[in-house]
DNA sequence: GCGACAG
DNA sequence: ATCTTGTCGC
């Protein structure tokens, strides 16, 4: 699938922060404008201390969570992992995978955050701008924001606040299990992101798009694909 | 100055 | 993220 290279990725950490400050102004948090029939999950995997990265995207039918398409690429990561600058490490490889995609998914879920980020431009929002598709983040842990523990049953959630602003939600995707952290990225709002996450239930804490993408890239890394 | 810190 | 065995609980 195509996308617009809004800026280079080979920058220094300081330049990365400056780019985020500039790019954030283009982010649009708004209700979905089209119904979602297909949703993609993205993830990357790598061996510790190695620069080779395995990136993959899995597109599912939201109706039955069946696989529509999946692509994987083996690439290299040069940028280090720095909290707050995750997109500069993972986006290049994920965009290479995006290029191999034959069809554009109606929504894209990322393993990380959207606006629940110190500068409101986590990986889901950042890549969302490049691919110009409804994008949101569903992370396994918090980067920024505080919240009250949501009720223990699946479906309950409580807002995450950062500097007094609601930036996401701690959402229970499974009874009695730690919540996942959902936040809008671009061209979507929090209610829609929460609904989509719950709609992707496969019986696990991690929603199916991300879970399947994770399995895909790990298999790729282990040479099982 | 002291912690916190997506994957 | 990745490295790893057993183990507690439904």
């Amino acid at each position: 699938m195509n996308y617009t290279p809004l800026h280079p990725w080979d920058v220094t950490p300081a330049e990365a922060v400056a780019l985020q400050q500039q790019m954030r102004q283009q982010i649009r948090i708004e209700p979905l404008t089209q119904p979602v029939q297909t949703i993609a999950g993205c993830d990357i995997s790598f061996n510790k201390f190695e620069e080779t990265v395995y990136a993959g995207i899995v597109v599912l039918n939201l109706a039955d969570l069946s696989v529509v398409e999946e692509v994987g690429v083996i690439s290299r990561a040069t940028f280090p992992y720095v909290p707050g600058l995750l997109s500069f490490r993972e986006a290049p490889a994920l965009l290479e995978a995006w290029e191999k995609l034959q069809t554009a998914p109606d929504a894209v879920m990322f393993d990380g955050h959207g606006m629940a980020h110190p500068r409101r431009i986590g990986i889901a929002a950042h890549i969302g701008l490049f691919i110009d598709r409804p994008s949101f983040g569903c992370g396994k842990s918090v980067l920024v924001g505080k919240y009250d523990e949501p009720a223990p049953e699946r479906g309950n959630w409580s807002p995450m606040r950062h500097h007094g602003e609601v930036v996401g939600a701690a959402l229970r995707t499974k009874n009695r299990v730690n919540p996942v952290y959902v936040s809008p990225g671009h061209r979507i709002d929090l209610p829609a992101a929460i609904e989509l996450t719950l709609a992707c239930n496969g019986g696990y804490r991690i929603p199916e798009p991300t879970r399947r993408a994770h399995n895909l890239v790990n298999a790729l890394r282990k040479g099982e694909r």
Side-chain angles (χ1 to χ4, degrees):
Chain A
M1 200 52 220
N2 51 57
Y3 70 88
T4 307
L6 301 171
H7 66 68
W9 292 104
D10 60 326
V11 299
T12 64
E15 296 175 323
V17 172
L19 275 173
Q20 291 183 321
Q21 298 289 19
Q22 179 190 318
M23 298 297 291
R24 65 182 295 185
Q25 303 180 67
Q26 296 170 54
I27 297 171
R28 305 202 317 263
I29 301 303
E30 58 189 29
L32 290 172
T33 56
Q34 302 286 21
V36 176
Q37 298 194 311
T38 59
I39 182 168
C42 321
D43 195 22
I44 74 166
S45 177
F46 55 83
N47 288 310
K48 201 173 186 178
F49 303 133
E50 287 181 18
E51 57 190 54
T52 300
V53 296
Y54 304 80
I57 299 176
V58 177
V59 182
L60 307 176
N61 273 309
L62 190 58
D64 60 359
L65 302 183
S66 59
V67 178
V68 173
E69 180 183 0
E70 40 181 35
V71 297
V73 301
I74 298 179
S75 186
R76 309 233 155 218
T78 55
F79 203 92
Y81 167 67
V82 179
L85 300 179
L86 180 65
S87 58
F88 289 85
R89 175 176 175 70
E90 304 195 347
L94 286 178
L95 287 171
E96 280 182 42
W98 179 263
E99 291 181 57
K100 297 181 65 176
L101 227 43
Q102 296 301 301
T103 58
D106 298 321
V108 185
M109 173 186 287
F110 288 86
D111 190 8
H113 301 101
M115 66 182 290
H117 175 281
R119 288 170 294 281
R120 305 290 179 269
I121 181 166
I123 191 169
H126 205 151
I127 295 184
L129 287 171
F130 274 57
I131 63 179
D132 195 31
R133 300 256 73 191
S135 307
F136 65 101
C138 182
K140 302 179 292 298
S141 62
V142 178
L143 208 206
V144 298
K146 309 203 72 170
Y147 64 93
D148 292 316
E149 202 65 26
E153 296 75 33
R154 167 184 158 76
N156 288 104
W157 61 274
S158 59
M160 291 171 72
R161 291 194 174 73
H162 183 54
H163 292 173
E165 175 182 19
V166 174
V167 297
L171 173 67
R172 202 78 74 180
T173 51
K174 185 173 182 180
N175 294 171
R176 301 281 174 175
V177 169
N178 286 160
V180 292
Y181 306 91
V182 179
S183 63
H186 180 53
R187 295 182 56 180
I188 193 173
D189 58 15
L190 183 57
I194 290 175
E195 284 182 27
L196 287 177
T197 299
L198 289 174
C200 292
N201 177 42
Y204 299 88
R205 175 169 84 120
I206 304 303
E208 288 304 284
T210 294
R211 202 178 71 78
R212 304 234 187 131
H214 193 273
N215 289 337
L216 172 65
V217 295
N218 273 320
L220 221 194
R221 176 169 63 86
K222 297 173 183 174
E224 300 169 353
R225 299 203 54 169

